[in-house]
Amino acid sequence: WGADMTAIKREERIGGQRLILGDCLEVMQELGPVDAVVTDPPYGISYSHGGGGGKLARSTSLAKMPIYGDDKPFDPAPWIQWPCILWGGNHFADRLPPSQAWLIWDKRCADYSNDQADCEMAWTNLGFPARMFRHVWNGMLRGAESKSPRAHPTQKPVALMEWCLGFLPDAKTIRDPFTGSGTTLVACQKLGRQGIGIEIDPDYFEIACKRVDEAARQPDLFVQPVKKAEQTGFGW
């Protein structure tokens, strides 16, 4: 980029977090290396939140909302050069190196069933055995975050992202190139970690800034941090 050109359309520094509005593939050319990447990218499956079904599954405010970039195949190559946790890796596993270190999020924690997936999976290159995290997330049933409205169709629990960060104890700077509503940076803020979040959608950028600001001002507003033993799993 020339001296008068930048891919960073807007930047905010809130608490220990740096939020950037722009295209992550362009912005990353202006940023230095980081210690790790933790992100929930578009999977390339043209997903839109259903908004139908029973009342527990209904979320009309997010119904049929598209995910930016999800209409084309996702390429993980730019991000796996660092220690990396990629949610949705099962959707693009054919583009990922083999790994035993998958993270599994059990979303039901019960015996009921519905049309949605029972769990979600994250690929990592971190070299530990597969681990599982149980946190209910189904419609209005969202654990300790049930009173906080969802802001993004594929939003993850703060507790889940805190758990992920526990597998990266030595990473001082975490990058989330697909920030969405900012959950990864909220988790970073709550745990005293530095995060760099990049989001291409101006509306979600605003939401992420607001959520990180709330986490900085009211540390206990979101779900309490996961206990250390739960973060790292057995043998760590």
Side-chain angles (χ1 to χ4, degrees):
W1 294 88
D4 58 345
M5 296 181 64
T6 177
I8 300 175
K9 298 180 179 179
R10 181 181 162 193
E11 180 174 346
E12 299 288 343
R13 294 179 184 261
I14 304 172
Q17 315 309 311
R18 181 183 181 188
L19 295 95
I20 297 172
L21 176 64
D23 185 315
C24 60
L25 291 175
E26 298 175 356
V27 169
M28 68 177 292
Q29 300 178 38
E30 301 183 38
L31 303 179
V34 292
D35 297 314
V37 171
V38 178
T39 193
D40 184 26
Y43 304 157
I45 59 175
S46 297
Y47 172 86
S48 66
H49 193 284
K55 65 179 182 180
L56 291 181
R58 185 174 293 119
S59 182
T60 55
S61 64
L62 301 175
K64 308 304 181 183
M65 185 179 292
I67 305 299
Y68 189 94
D70 199 36
D71 57 343
K72 56 183 179 293
F74 175 70
D75 180 10
W79 316 112
I80 61 178
Q81 58 184 299
W82 296 287
C84 184
I85 297 176
L86 278 179
W87 282 98
N90 50 305
H91 292 288
F92 43 88
D94 58 330
R95 303 181 185 92
L96 290 165
S99 173
Q100 67 171 356
W102 286 81
L103 301 182
I104 313 298
W105 168 31
D106 177 359
K107 301 166 63 173
R108 298 190 312 159
C109 305
D111 293 329
Y112 63 82
S113 61
N114 57 36
D115 294 334
Q116 305 299 316
D118 293 344
C119 66
E120 295 192 24
M121 305 172 67
W123 176 93
T124 86
N125 55 6
L126 304 181
F128 49 78
R131 299 296 187 199
M132 179 176 288
F133 182 78
R134 292 181 173 89
H135 184 94
V136 66
W137 197 259
N138 181 41
M140 294 182 295
L141 302 178
R142 293 187 291 115
E145 293 180 59
S146 59
K147 295 182 179 179
S148 301
R150 281 179 61 185
H152 192 282
T154 61
Q155 185 171 322
K156 298 291 186 287
V158 174
L160 177 68
M161 304 315 288
E162 290 179 346
W163 180 68
C164 289
L165 294 175
F167 292 104
L168 298 159
D170 299 324
K172 296 180 179 179
T173 304
I174 307 294
R175 180 176 296 171
D176 184 351
F178 303 94
T179 295
S181 60
T183 301
T184 301
L185 295 194
V186 169
C188 285
Q189 183 64 31
K190 287 176 61 60
L191 295 178
R193 311 283 286 274
Q194 293 183 334
I196 301 173
I198 309 169
E199 174 55 39
I200 197 170
D201 185 297
D203 293 334
Y204 284 133
F205 179 81
E206 291 287 352
I207 291 171
C209 288
K210 180 179 179 180
R211 295 184 73 219
V212 172
D213 183 65
E214 289 174 344
R217 294 173 181 271
Q218 306 179 56
D220 297 328
L221 179 65
F222 296 90
V223 63
Q224 292 297 311
V226 182
K227 295 178 182 179
K228 185 175 182 181
E230 294 175 338
Q231 287 179 336
T232 56
F234 297 105
W236 281 68

